[in-house]
Amino acid sequence: METTARAIAERVARTSYGRLVAYLSSRSRDIAGAEDALADAFRAALETWPDRGVPANPEAWLLTAARRTLGHARRHEKVRAEAEPALTLLGEEMDGLAHPVPDRRLNLLFVCAHPAIDPDIRTPLMLQSVLGMEAATIAAAFLAPPGAMAQRLVRAKAKIRAAFIPFEMPEADDLAERVDAVLVAIYAAYGAGWEDVLGGDAKRKGLAEEALFLGRMAVDLLPQNPEARGLLALMLHCEARKRARRSANGSFVPLAEQDTALWSVPMIAEAEAHMLTAARAAQLGRFQLEAAIQSVHAQRLRTGRTEWRALMLFYDLLAAGTPAAGILVSRAAAHGEAVSPQDGLQQLDLLDADAMRTYQPYWAARAHLLARAGKASEARAAYRTAIGLAEDEAIRSFLRRKQELIRAD
Amino acid sequence: MHYMLIFTEPQEQFAERNDPEKGPAYWGAWGAYIAALNGAGIVISGNGLEEPHTGTTLRIRDGKRIIHDGPFPDSKEQLGGYFIIDVPDLDAALEWAARSPSASYGSTEIRPVLPPPPAL
C-alpha cells in the first residue's frame, strides 16, 4: 500500500511540476529558469506528499513553496531575479482563477523535439523539463558521463531561449511530422527498438515507466492522434512481457519461448483498446504497425501459436515506410519463419553489408536462420559474431547455448 | 527577433556568377529571393559578398600582423552573403532560410542576433 501511495504522490508531483514548467517557460521561453524556480519545491513535494498525502491543489502548493523558497534564499539571487516576476504573475492568476494552470505540456514537448534541436538530446530534454528527472539519472540511463549530459541539456535550453524556438503549436501542414518527432523521442526513452525474438541486443534504457508516463500523456494531449495511441499500445505490449523476458535465474528468454502465463493480461487488454480506438482514424502509421506486430505476438496467449504470415505482412508494410536496420532485420526473421529459412537469409543478404558488419541483431538473426537451414559451420561462425557483438551477458549466454546445440547435431 | 541568414556556397556557384550561360539563372534565383525578402518587409540589412578569393585574412600573433590572401578557413563552402531579418521566431526564420537558393546547393545557417547587453 505504501508503495502505491508513494507512486501516486510521485505521479501527481511530476504532473504538476511538468504543467508549471511548461506554463512558465511558454511565457518566458526560459526552461532552465522555470526549472530552477521550481526545483526546491518539487524536491519538497517528493519528500512530503507520500507521507502527508497529496494536497488538494498540487500546483498551488508547488507554487506557494516555490515563492517561499525564492523569498528566503538570497543565494539564488540570479534565479530569483529571473523567476520571481513569472511566479508572482502565475500566483496572481491562480488566486483569481482557482483552477489548474493551462496545460502547455504539449507545447513544451514540441519545443523539446523541435527540428532545430539535436535528435540525441530531445529525449533527455523531455525527461528533464516535463518529468523533472535529474541530469545524473538521465545520464546513467543513456550511458553518458553525467557532466557531459548536464552540459548538453544546458546548451539545448540556452539554444531554445536564444534562437526563440516558438512555444506556439506547429502549423497544420507540419503537425504530423512534428508529432512524429515527439513520439520518436518518447519511444527512445523506452529504448526497445524491436522485440527480442532471436536474441538481438535491445538497448534498454531502463526508463520504461517514464516512457509510459510520457506515452499516456501524449495520448491525453493528442486524443485524436492514432499514432500516439499506437506508440502507447506498442510500449504496453512490450511491457506486458517484462516478467517473462528473464527466467528465474536471470537468463534471457526469447519471445518465442516465453511462458505466456507470465504476461500481464491487463496491460495487453489496455494496449488492444488503444489500438482499436486508433484504428477508427484509418491512418495507419509506423507506431500502429509496430503495435500490430506486438499484438500478433500477444495472440499466442489465446491461440498457443504465432501467426508468422501475419507478422511478415506487417513487417513488409513497416519496412516500406520505415526502413530502419532493426525493422529490416526483424522483417527478414519473420520471412524466415513464415516462408523458409532460405527466404529469410535471402532478405538478410539484400541489406547493406557494411552497415550490418557490427550490427548485433543482424548476426543473431543470421545465425538462427543458418542453423535452421542446416548450415552448421556457417551458423556457428555467425553465432560467434553475434556473441562477440552482444553487450548483455544474458544475451551472450543465451546465444552460446544456441551455438552449442548446433555442435551437438 | 533578429536573425542573420548566412549563405554559404560551393566554388561551382561562385563561378556561375560570371558564367555567361549559368549566370542569368544564378542571379535570377537570388534576385527573386531578395525581392521576396524585401516584399515581406522583414529585412533589416543584408549584402552579397564578392568571391572568396578577394578576401584577406589578418591575425595578430605575438604582436605581429599575419596577413594571408584568401578567406578563413579555406573550406569547400564559403560565405557568399548574409541578410539580417526581423521575424517572430525560429520557425519563421527557417521558412525564409528554406527559400534561399544556397539552401539547395550549399547551406544556409540561421543565427539569432545577440540582443544588446542590459544597461548597467
Side-chain angles (χ1 to χ4, degrees), chain A residues 355-369:
Chain A
M356 293 299 136
R357 191 155 293 142
T358 57
Y359 189 58
Q360 195 270 348
Y362 171 86
W363 290 100
R366 188 169 189 88
H368 173 80
L369 293 172

Side-chain angles (χ1 to χ4, degrees), chain A residues 114 116 162-166 178, chain B residues 1 3 88-91 94 112:
Chain A
H114 192 276
F164 242 59
I165 290 181
R178 300 285 308 276
Chain B
M1 187 70 189
Y3 295 90
D89 55 40
L90 180 63
D91 282 358
L94 283 166

Side-chain angles (χ1 to χ4, degrees), chain A residues 248-320:
Chain A
N249 64 14
S251 60
F252 169 77
V253 185
L255 180 51
E257 293 165 25
Q258 284 173 15
D259 178 1
T260 56
L262 294 172
W263 292 357
S264 162
V265 176
M267 275 191 166
I268 292 172
E270 193 189 346
E272 294 292 326
H274 283 298
M275 287 174 65
L276 212 61
T277 311
R280 280 193 217 117
Q283 285 171 357
L284 201 53
R286 174 229 168 142
F287 289 115
Q288 288 174 84
L289 277 169
E290 291 207 47
I293 286 163
Q294 298 313 323
S295 176
V296 173
H297 284 301
Q299 279 165 29
R300 186 156 71 80
L301 182 65
R302 288 188 295 108
T303 63
R305 54 194 298 273
T306 301
E307 288 295 336
W308 285 104
R309 290 223 153 246
L311 285 175
M312 183 173 74
L313 175 76
F314 283 134
Y315 270 120
D316 285 348
L317 283 169
L318 183 58

Side-chain angles (χ1 to χ4, degrees), chain A residues 193-194 315 324-331 359 361:
Chain A
W194 55 90
Y315 270 120
I327 287 165
L328 291 172
V329 168
S330 296
R331 175 177 170 270
Y359 189 58

